[in-house]
Amino acid sequence: MKIHPTAIVEDGARLGADVEIGPYCIVGPQAVLGDGVKLHSHIVMKGRVELGTRSTVHSHAVLGDEGQVRNHHYPEARLVIGTDTVIREAVTMHTGSKKGGGITTVGDRGYFMATSHIGHDCHVGNDVTFANGVQLGGHAEIGDGVIIGGTSPVAQFRRVGKYAFIGGLTGVARDVIPYGMAIDRGPALDGLNLIGLKRRNVPRETIHKIRAAYRLIFLTEGGSLYDRAQRAAETWPDVTEISDIVSFILRDRKLPIAIPHRHRVRAEEDE
């Protein structure tokens, strides 16, 4: 282990093999650092926080502080961060709250750019990318492989389905379906994240089926959104991505789902 003489590692902290802790870091007594973790400088790890193996944290990040909740006091609250995670400058990630289940989770291989924030009781999947200044309100859920552009806020209790793309400066006030793309305007749904599907080597034939399901669910008149989603599930029962989208929509009918704007509907119909 390499621990700079100006760093403070409190009694009780658990450090794995080959951990590096840079100048002026503070590691609290309940922190757990996996093997090969590297803390650059001026990093604060408070409360019950676990940082997975081979993760790297850059200057001035604060991990494991209590959630920003009025009258919050829950010593058992936790923050668990997965392996091979990159946390850039001034990122903040908070523990859970008593009402929210007490735990915030961040998956493996995430890349969190400068000043991004993960609030209390959020659950973030694997392989996500947050650009600078992305802000998650409490209880948000972010699926695997999601990319969120710079300075985009995600409201409390909102969901972003796996492999969705959120553009920069896009306020996520409605849930965004898996494999969807939302850019600005509240957000409206701007079609499918076709680039992301191709990067994942989804077959061309499958992408055509996903697009057909998208048109059925969002661009077809008649019946409710939930009825059309169920029709899509029945039409393409063997396409995993369509099942993901339908399950996301039907999971909780009280949650608002992002839908296309009318001018975007015309553009989709013309393609």
Side-chain angles (χ1 to χ4, degrees), residues 175-188:
D175 294 350
V176 178
I177 60 168
Y179 316 103
M181 181 171 62
I183 301 174
D184 202 5
R185 300 187 300 277

Side-chain angles (χ1 to χ4, degrees), residues 92-154:
T92 53
M93 298 183 181
H94 290 167
T95 58
S97 68
K98 187 173 184 179
K99 290 184 178 180
I103 186 171
T104 301
T105 60
V106 178
D108 301 331
R109 299 176 299 279
Y111 196 98
F112 302 94
M113 299 185 197
T115 71
S116 55
H117 169 72
I118 296 176
H120 60 88
D121 305 296
C122 288
H123 299 290
V124 178
N126 301 318
D127 302 297
V128 303
T129 302
F130 286 9
N132 296 52
V134 171
Q135 308 290 306
L136 297 191
H139 312 277
E141 296 183 23
I142 308 296
D144 293 345
V146 167
I147 298 174
I148 305 182
T151 64
S152 293
V154 179

Side-chain angles (χ1 to χ4, degrees), residues 20-247:
E20 296 183 31
I21 301 178
Y24 301 103
C25 292
I26 300 175
V27 179
Q30 296 175 310
V32 179
L33 279 63
D35 295 347
V37 163
K38 182 176 181 178
L39 308 183
H40 281 253
S41 70
H42 298 83
I43 294 154
V44 177
M45 297 185 66
K46 303 179 65 175
R48 295 179 180 271
V49 54
E50 300 176 24
L51 183 58
T53 59
R54 298 179 301 277
S55 294
T56 301
V57 186
H58 290 253
S59 301
H60 300 286
V62 179
L63 307 177
D65 207 344
E66 63 183 26
Q68 296 177 129
V69 180
R70 288 182 180 273
N71 303 315
H72 174 69
H73 180 69
Y74 186 49
E76 301 303 313
R78 300 168 58 206
L79 167 66
V80 178
I81 303 168
T83 63
D84 298 297
T85 301
V86 177
I87 299 172
R88 295 304 302 257
E89 298 82 0
V91 168
T92 53
M93 298 183 181
H94 290 167
T95 58
S97 68
K98 187 173 184 179
K99 290 184 178 180
I103 186 171
T104 301
T105 60
V106 178
D108 301 331
R109 299 176 299 279
Y111 196 98
F112 302 94
M113 299 185 197
T115 71
S116 55
H117 169 72
I118 296 176
H120 60 88
D121 305 296
C122 288
H123 299 290
V124 178
N126 301 318
D127 302 297
V128 303
T129 302
F130 286 9
N132 296 52
V134 171
Q135 308 290 306
L136 297 191
H139 312 277
E141 296 183 23
I142 308 296
D144 293 345
V146 167
I147 298 174
I148 305 182
T151 64
S152 293
V154 179
Q156 284 196 339
F157 297 100
R158 292 283 68 84
R159 300 177 298 152
V160 179
K162 63 183 181 180
Y163 301 105
F165 176 85
I166 308 298
L169 298 172
T170 300
V172 180
R174 292 176 174 268
D175 294 350
V176 178
I177 60 168
Y179 316 103
M181 181 171 62
I183 301 174
D184 202 5
R185 300 187 300 277
L189 196 61
D190 287 275
L192 293 165
N193 182 13
L194 298 177
I195 293 175
L197 290 169
K198 292 174 182 176
R199 285 176 176 171
R200 294 183 55 242
N201 297 316
V202 175
R204 188 180 186 88
E205 180 181 353
T206 300
I207 291 176
H208 287 322
K209 292 178 181 179
I210 298 169
R211 294 188 71 184
Y214 176 89
R215 289 190 175 97
L216 171 59
I217 295 170
F218 293 104
L219 308 181
T220 302
E221 296 183 357
S224 69
L225 174 71
Y226 308 102
D227 293 337
R228 297 193 298 271
Q230 191 61 55
R231 284 169 52 196
E234 294 168 355
T235 304
W236 297 280
D238 299 326
V239 179
T240 300
E241 291 81 2
I242 295 174
S243 297
D244 292 336
I245 293 170
V246 172
S247 297

